[in-house]
């Protein structure tokens, strides 16, 4: 772990007597050093890698299909393999981050990104590519629970830099990565000779090893365990040390309190059952429902942008690359940045509801347009895709993590995110597998299928108005324990 000195001299010693004291220090914003902010940036770097690796094959799928002579079902298998791996990785990672800690899991999974990116880039047959993407998915699945846990546990409860704002920050980090992926594709499109454009997907996927190495080096320099998790494990001395190192708070264990209390039982896989008890049951079901709606719509539209623009809108390769890049950078990223700004002041529920409503309108218009003819109608269709991506950025895309993480205490935050992501990855896998098949068989009528995503999201939100932003789940857990 990091041994860096505090970024500034503390003004007074803070006595730590319990895990509640540590949680209150973080939640109040008293602990807010520059080092802690760097940990948040690195956690977002993990999200960046997840998005880049998931997006890197989107444009190259037609070339992969031609090079390996794939049927539409095998093409769907290639795209879905990373989601199958991430499903297993999410379940495993969610359990591990609660059992052995955030830091250890965070440091371990980078090897998945580096090695598998390079294997994908040089794969000589489709089964090697599928296997490498599957293993890469395990790394992606493990990374998201721990990254979101860090974002929540190194942030104050309310105000600027709150848990709600920083968990929402995963959305612009994601779209920065997808925009960067298309920027890499566009650069390579102009650099590679025409005869070698079929290699474009290999360079794009392989380039993912570069940011992974950078994040790995930064993690070794700056990362630290979550002080809240350490305190929950009975290790108040480590929690106090992390507060000193990462926050610049001169925290010390009170003299009349043992530095290491008896450690609570390590959570087993049965801890997933706790998600369906007490107050957590409704939150779990709602977070899964809105998450399935988000992931179905995202994977069909955002991941499927190259297919939609090139096939359903019959545009050339340069228009497809440029449009996909612009939609991610201008519309989705802008929406994601607004999602951060609005999270603390407007909350997750209103933004999610508005986002799904806009997406409902956008998909309906696309379905009515069908296959566009003429510049004006094509432009209108692309603008509808932009509206969908903008709404995704500030609404469902930003806040599914708020619903999956902020309503659950530190002791079960890993499994709550892991379970949520596992179910979402199952939905993602099915979407990625069937979308190429459906778009080929149904043509523009596939929009009517996609319309089910915002409908499901709106129904799930309107059934129960639950606001996770600003909610102190750790305090609730302590109150429940007291009876």
């Amino acid at each position: 772990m990091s041994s860096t000195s505090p970024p500034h001299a503390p003004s007074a010693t803070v006595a730590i007597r319990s895990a509640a004291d540590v949680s209150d220090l973080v939640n109040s914003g008293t602990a807010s050093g520059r080092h802690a902010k760097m940990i948040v940036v690195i956690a977002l770097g993990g999200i960046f890698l997840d998005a880049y690796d998931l997006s890197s094959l989107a444009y190259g799928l037609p070339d992969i299909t031609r090079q390996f002579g794939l049927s539409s079902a095998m093409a769907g298998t290639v795209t879905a393999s990373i989601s199958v791996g991430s499903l297993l990785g999410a379940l495993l990672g969610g359990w591990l981050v609660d059992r052995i800690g955030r830091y250890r899991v965070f440091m371990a999974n980078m090897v998945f990104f580096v090695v598998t990116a390079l294997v994908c880039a040089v794969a000589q047959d489709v089964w090697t590519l599928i296997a490498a993407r599957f293993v890469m998915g395990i790394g992606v699945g493990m990374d998201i629970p721990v990254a979101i846990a860090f974002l929540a546990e190194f942030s104050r409860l309310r105000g600027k830099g709150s848990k709600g704002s920083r968990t929402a920050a995963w959305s612009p980090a994601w779209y920065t990565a997808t925009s960067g992926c298309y920027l890499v594709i566009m650069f390579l499109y102009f650099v590679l000779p025409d005869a070698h454009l079929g290699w474009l997907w290999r360079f794009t996927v392989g380039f993912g090893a570069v940011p992974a190495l950078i994040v790995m080096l930064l993690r070794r320099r700056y990362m630290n365990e979550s002080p809240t998790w350490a305190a929950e494990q009975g290790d108040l001395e480590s929690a106090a040390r992390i507060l000193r190192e990462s926050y610049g708070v001169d925290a010390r264990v009170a003299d009349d309190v043992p530095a290491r209390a008896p450690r609570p039982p390590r959570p087993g896989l049965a801890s997933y059952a706790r998600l369906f008890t007490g107050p957590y049951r409704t939150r779990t079901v709602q977070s899964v429902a809105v998450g399935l709606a988000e992931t179905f719509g995202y994977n069909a539209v955002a991941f499927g942008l190259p297919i939609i623009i090139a096939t359903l809108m019959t545009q050339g390769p340069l228009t497809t690359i440029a449009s996909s890049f612009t939609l991610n950078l201008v519309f989705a990223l802008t929406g994601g940045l607004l999602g951060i700004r609005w999270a603390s002041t407007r909350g997750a529920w209103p933004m999610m509801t508005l986002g799904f409503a806009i997406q409902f309108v956008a998909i309906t218009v696309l379905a009515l347009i069908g296959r566009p003819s003429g510049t004006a109608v094509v432009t209108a269709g692309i603008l509808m895709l932009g509206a969908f991506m903008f709404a995704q950025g500030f609404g469902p895309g930003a806040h599914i993590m708020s619903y999956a993480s902020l309503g659950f205490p530190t002791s079960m935050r890993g499994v709550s995110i892991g379970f949520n992501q596992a179910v979402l990855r199952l939905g993602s896998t099915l979407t990625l597998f069937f979308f190429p098949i459906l778009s080929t068989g149904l043509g523009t009528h596939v929009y009517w299928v996609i319309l089910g995503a915002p409908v499901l999201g709106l129904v799930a939100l309107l059934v129960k108005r639950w606001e996770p932003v600003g909610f102190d789940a750790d305090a609730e857990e302590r109150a429940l324990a007291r009876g």
Side-chain angles (χ1 to χ4, degrees), residues 59 182-183 185-186 189-190 197 200 304-328 331 372 374-383 385:
Y59 177 79
Y182 284 113
L183 188 61
I185 292 172
M186 188 178 297
Y189 180 84
F190 286 110
L197 284 178
L200 193 151
L305 277 177
I307 296 175
I308 291 173
I309 296 171
T311 305
L312 301 185
M313 294 186 174
T314 61
Q315 299 301 299
L318 186 57
T319 300
T320 300
I321 298 171
S323 298
S324 299
F325 170 72
T326 302
L327 289 170
N328 275 280
F331 290 92
T375 303
V377 182
V378 170
T379 301
I382 291 178
L383 286 175
L385 290 173

Side-chain angles (χ1 to χ4, degrees), residues 43 57 118 181 186 188 206 254 330 351 367 467:
L57 275 189
L118 297 175
C181 183
M186 188 178 297
L188 292 172
V330 176
M351 294 297 96
E467 179 56 68

Side-chain angles (χ1 to χ4, degrees), residues 333 369 419:
L333 180 57
I369 288 175
F419 177 78

